[in-house]
Amino acid sequence: MTGRMRRRYIAFFALLLLVVGVAIAEMGGAEAPAPKRGKVLVLGFDGMDPGLLRLLLDRGDLPNFQRLIDRGTFTSLGTSIPPQSPVAWSNFITGMDPGGHDIFDFIHRDPKTYLPFMSTSQAVSSDDGIGLWGEWRIPTGGGEVLNLRRGVPFWDILTAHGVPTAIFKIPANYPPVSEGAKTLSGLGTPDILGTPGTFTYLTTHRPENADDISGGKVVDVYFDGGTAETAIPGPPNPMREGHEKSGCPVRIHRDVENRIAKIVIGEEEVLLREGEWSDWVPVKYYFLPDHGFWGAVRPALDPAGMGLTGIARLYLKSVAPEFGLYVSPINIDPLAPAQPISTPDDWAAKIAEKTGRFYTQGMPEDTKALEAGILTDTEFLQQAGYVLDERMRVYDSLLNEFVGQEWGLLYYYFSSLDQQTHVMWRAMDPHHPASDAEAREHPDIIYDIMKRFDQAVGMALDRLPEDVLVLAMSDHGFAPWYREVHLNSWLADNGYLTLKDPSKETREKSDFFLNVDWRRTRVYALGINGLYINTRGREKYGVVSPGREKDALIEELTTRLTELRDPKTGKQPILALYRNDEVYHGPYAAEAPDMSVGYAREYRGSNESALGEFPMEWFADNTGKWSGDHCIDAREVPGILVSSREVRIADPMLYDLTVTLLNEFGIEKGEHMVGRPIF
């Protein structure tokens, strides 16, 4: 962390402490009462579906979940509207709905430009610098990343009352915020490039889709004899004018006869057989020249911000006749983080010193490489298996620490089920349009992951006394995604949205709403579930007056969209539209999409429509590997709640758990929290 970033963090945490103090004061006075000295373990299984859990329980495949249920309760857990991960987890973190924490979707939009941006965090860079010679410069302005979630996370309320608390990779917590808890950032944590995850594929055979791959880069490799020289693309070089991209040199020696390759990355040498994965490999990017004086001092200047080090896993797909080497997204090294990923700063390193390096990227299962065809189903499942193995190893270590604690709370998060159900639903569903022979080779993959989680539950029950409260929960369930809905296309064809050039050629090529005539547009869809009225006084070119005109338009849309039928299946694709002023509470409710679209099972808003594209048709078969989803009507995809104690309310919600956790330690809920204790 640079000195400037550290000062900003200190200032930010000071402000956070003030906010927490105000929240505590609002709970009943400046002096908080001493907390109850309880002990609570929360296991967060992202995407665990109550129907699938019941199926495996009935089969007798989850004996440890059954042990936990026998002590208390298994029930469904109401999720957020919309049931998207950053929204749902923010409900849990803050005890509020989106009107309180200001996260409504994966992406939001600027009403003055209509451009989308990531909802959970924002990178702020600086071009300040002192010019040297040629294109070289010394950067003087620090950058920073802001966590855009509002509200006080429950762990800061706990620690402000003196409750020892550890939070492992809870989503929507990047950069990590905490005054007193141990936290490791989760969903939203970028790779070393600053992206959600960008893999590299070094190859002599460029795929036909190379220029269209999202979340990956293809690098052409040319062998001279048995050796090739290339580079792994890196982040922009702050020492160069224009921030030219950096690169980490790679030398490859291949032995075609023995089907092996030696890969030299900086000072590291890795020998891989065809079809073999490496362990973590340090990848260093130096921002100074590699010749003369600078070549000698570059490593020494790395800690001063003139270089970056990350880690990657390599997979040698093929040696010959065509060479192919997959390089995972360059993860932030937990042993030496290039930017803050934990609180306190050294907690990530302390974990890694005990358990070995691990994926720090927010969602580490490389679904992008799978969707691009770089990894096969089998190869993807191998990569995802490494993630789960690491998570189980770290869980074992942190659980042991928690066992030794006198009191406090441990929250531990698993991403594996969510990411693999997204892309492998087609493996267990022969009716899915994307089901194929390759996928059907893995019909039990989702069930096998749940059995691994059963082991995690068993570890807790075996090691903790029965009076410790154990909660297993998920943010949402899952459903098949058979049919895509191009909602913006429907709006355009029904007179709600006007295109500048409606010709087929322009319409199919336009994206990011660049072809929209905003002065003649009343409604637009952005994000997977969001529907906005182009409101006068809010949007730059708003045309619909707030009040009666807007209300009438919302009522008309609700009627027409819920009456819409899919001509191929005859089914109703949209079950409901939720008005923000009816389902959200809190100071940010007015910033939400005016309506959240509740799709039926088997349907979901298309990726194209979410980012302002306009395919000619309204519906299409989903033939992609991303075959299961949960961004539909919240009633269709509740999460799970398994408690070691009997739950006494019939319809628990995510934000009820927040209040319950505080209540376990004798702490009253905050003013804007909307939940109820479940016991």
Side-chain angles (χ1 to χ4, degrees):
M1 190 188 317
T2 66
R4 185 170 179 179
M5 287 179 68
R6 186 175 297 279
R7 287 194 297 275
R8 287 176 172 173
Y9 261 72
I10 291 172
F12 176 75
F13 286 135
L15 177 60
L16 183 62
L17 180 61
L18 176 62
V19 172
V20 173
V22 170
I24 293 171
E26 289 175 346
M27 291 176 212
E31 292 188 8
K36 291 195 301 185
R37 296 172 72 85
K39 201 165 183 179
V40 179
L41 171 66
V42 183
L43 298 174
F45 298 118
D46 199 321
M48 184 173 283
D49 183 78
L52 294 178
L53 181 58
R54 170 53 62 194
L55 175 68
L56 295 196
L57 285 168
D58 290 345
R59 290 183 183 177
D61 288 341
L62 304 178
N64 294 303
F65 270 102
Q66 190 61 58
R67 288 169 62 197
L68 185 58
I69 293 168
D70 290 342
R71 290 188 189 178
T73 297
F74 165 37
T75 184
S76 59
L77 182 64
T79 184
S80 57
I81 299 175
Q84 299 186 21
S85 290
V87 185
W89 287 111
S90 295
N91 278 17
F92 172 61
I93 290 170
T94 65
M96 300 186 286
D97 66 39
H101 57 65
D102 203 20
I103 304 295
F104 305 99
D105 196 296
F106 279 101
I107 59 174
H108 289 176
R109 61 80 176 94
D110 181 346
K112 300 306 177 188
T113 62
Y114 300 93
L115 293 176
F117 60 88
M118 294 297 293
S119 64
T120 54
S121 61
Q122 178 184 14
V124 180
S125 61
S126 170
D127 287 330
D128 294 345
I130 300 172
L132 296 175
W133 62 94
E135 296 180 342
W136 292 96
R137 63 195 290 273
I138 296 177
T140 58
E144 62 181 330
V145 182
L146 304 177
N147 188 323
L148 300 181
R149 174 176 38 74
R150 312 299 182 101
V152 182
F154 69 82
W155 53 85
D156 273 340
I157 300 175
L158 291 175
T159 55
H161 283 78
V163 181
T165 305
I167 307 291
F168 182 82
K169 289 192 78 68
I170 196 167
N173 187 42
Y174 175 79
V177 292
S178 179
E179 177 54 31
K182 295 177 181 176
T183 70
L184 190 73
S185 61
L187 172 66
T189 307
D191 61 11
I192 208 79
L193 303 183
T195 73
T198 301
F199 68 85
T200 303
Y201 187 51
L202 308 174
T203 183
T204 55
H205 181 65
R206 191 174 182 82
E208 291 183 2
N209 64 342
D211 295 331
D212 299 322
I213 291 176
S214 170
K217 296 180 179 178
V218 176
V219 175
D220 297 315
V221 174
Y222 304 96
F223 279 89
D224 183 1
T227 302
E229 304 270 358
T230 183
I232 302 172
N237 186 343
M239 303 288 294
R240 300 293 297 268
E241 295 290 350
H243 300 320
E244 176 187 277
K245 294 289 180 65
S246 60
C248 177
V250 178
R251 182 181 300 114
I252 302 167
H253 307 276
R254 68 173 172 179
D255 181 340
V256 173
E257 182 178 352
N258 293 298
R259 316 302 293 181
I260 60 176
K262 183 172 77 172
I263 300 105
V264 182
I265 302 177
E267 300 172 357
E268 306 291 330
E269 290 188 3
V270 181
L271 191 64
L272 293 178
R273 295 189 178 279
E274 196 171 67
E276 185 178 12
W277 290 83
S278 77
D279 201 347
W280 286 111
V281 179
V283 178
K284 294 187 176 182
Y285 297 95
Y286 294 117
F287 298 143
L288 289 169
D290 61 356
H291 53 270
F293 173 77
W294 294 113
V297 303
R298 288 196 313 166
L301 292 175
D302 188 353
M306 297 183 182
L308 278 179
T309 301
I311 54 174
R313 282 190 184 274
L314 315 179
Y315 174 66
L316 184 59
K317 279 182 69 75
S318 60
V319 173
E322 302 295 349
F323 180 85
L325 178 70
Y326 162 86
V327 181
S328 75
I330 312 300
N331 277 236
I332 296 170
D333 186 353
L335 286 172
Q339 56 180 285
I341 57 172
S342 70
T343 60
D345 287 348
D346 62 352
W347 196 48
K350 287 183 176 178
I351 295 173
E353 286 167 1
K354 293 180 179 177
T355 67
R357 287 179 164 117
F358 52 84
Y359 280 94
T360 55
Q361 181 189 340
M363 283 295 180
E365 294 83 5
D366 201 343
T367 58
K368 295 295 186 184
L370 173 68
E371 291 180 283
I374 301 301
L375 296 181
T376 64
D377 286 348
T378 298
E379 292 163 347
F380 165 75
L381 293 176
Q382 291 170 349
Q383 186 270 331
Y386 286 119
V387 176
L388 182 52
D389 289 345
E390 288 179 354
R391 292 293 182 264
M392 292 294 285
R393 194 163 61 239
V394 174
Y395 170 67
D396 179 67
S397 176
L398 294 185
L399 180 62
N400 279 339
E401 287 184 19
F402 184 64
V403 169
Q405 283 181 213
E406 181 182 349
W407 68 303
L409 181 142
L410 170 63
Y411 169 89
Y412 197 88
Y413 171 80
F414 292 92
S415 63
S416 298
L417 192 60
D418 178 85
Q419 292 296 284
Q420 294 186 66
T421 308
H422 272 304
V423 294
M424 298 304 296
W425 183 284
R426 61 200 163 85
M428 63 177 180
D429 183 354
H431 303 294
H432 196 285
S435 176
D436 57 23
E438 183 189 7
R440 290 193 290 273
E441 291 178 4
H442 311 280
D444 297 326
I445 181 61
I446 305 305
Y447 306 143
D448 291 342
I449 296 169
M450 294 178 70
K451 292 176 184 175
R452 292 288 301 276
F453 290 166
D454 187 71
Q455 296 172 9
V457 172
M459 291 162 64
L461 297 182
D462 290 343
R463 299 180 196 180
L464 293 169
E466 288 200 12
D467 62 346
V468 174
L469 175 60
V470 178
L471 299 174
M473 49 84 72
S474 66
D475 54 336
H476 52 69
F478 255 93
W481 179 22
Y482 291 172
R483 297 278 285 167
E484 301 174 323
V485 181
H486 300 308
L487 186 53
N488 271 317
S489 297
W490 183 90
L491 293 171
D493 292 338
N494 284 274
Y496 295 103
L497 185 149
T498 302
L499 297 175
K500 297 174 184 174
D501 182 353
S503 67
K504 183 174 185 294
E505 182 179 10
T506 301
R507 173 170 166 166
E508 289 186 331
K509 291 181 179 179
S510 64
D511 55 11
F512 293 108
F513 299 98
L514 296 177
N515 191 29
V516 174
D517 182 347
W518 292 110
R519 288 184 173 86
R520 295 193 296 154
T521 289
R522 294 185 292 158
V523 189
Y524 59 102
L526 187 144
I528 296 173
N529 298 91
L531 200 59
Y532 293 84
I533 304 298
N534 195 20
T535 305
R536 183 172 287 121
R538 185 182 69 181
E539 271 86 351
K540 184 176 182 179
Y541 300 113
V543 297
V544 179
S545 297
R548 185 176 303 174
E549 183 183 5
K550 183 172 180 177
D551 289 342
L553 182 54
I554 289 175
E555 185 174 347
E556 175 184 317
L557 282 166
T558 300
T559 300
R560 292 197 64 187
L561 284 173
T562 53
E563 290 178 350
L564 181 65
R565 295 295 181 269
D566 180 350
K568 178 178 179 179
T569 66
K571 294 182 178 179
Q572 177 183 351
I574 295 175
L575 299 180
L577 281 84
Y578 297 95
R579 290 183 59 137
N580 66 351
D581 54 0
E582 294 178 350
V583 296
Y584 298 149
H585 311 81
Y588 304 104
E591 297 181 13
D594 295 294
M595 289 171 282
S596 178
V597 181
Y599 292 99
R601 289 179 73 87
E602 304 180 7
Y603 290 84
R604 206 208 74 178
S606 70
N607 294 329
E608 293 90 338
S609 183
L611 292 174
E613 298 180 28
F614 297 87
M616 297 305 293
E617 67 275 14
W618 300 347
F619 299 95
D621 279 338
N622 173 26
T623 57
K625 294 182 186 297
W626 195 273
S627 48
D629 213 281
H630 46 82
C631 299
I632 61 176
D633 193 302
R635 298 169 297 181
E636 298 290 317
V637 282
I640 64 109
L641 174 61
V642 182
S643 167
S644 62
R645 196 182 303 165
E646 184 180 358
V647 174
R648 298 191 180 279
I649 63 176
D651 55 347
M653 305 289 292
L654 276 166
Y655 40 62
D656 293 330
L657 298 188
T658 324
V659 175
T660 301
L661 296 180
L662 298 180
N663 195 53
E664 282 300 299
F665 295 96
I667 302 169
E668 294 185 4
K669 70 177 184 180
E671 180 185 7
H672 295 296
M673 292 185 177
V674 295
R676 312 149 292 171
I678 65 172
F679 302 124

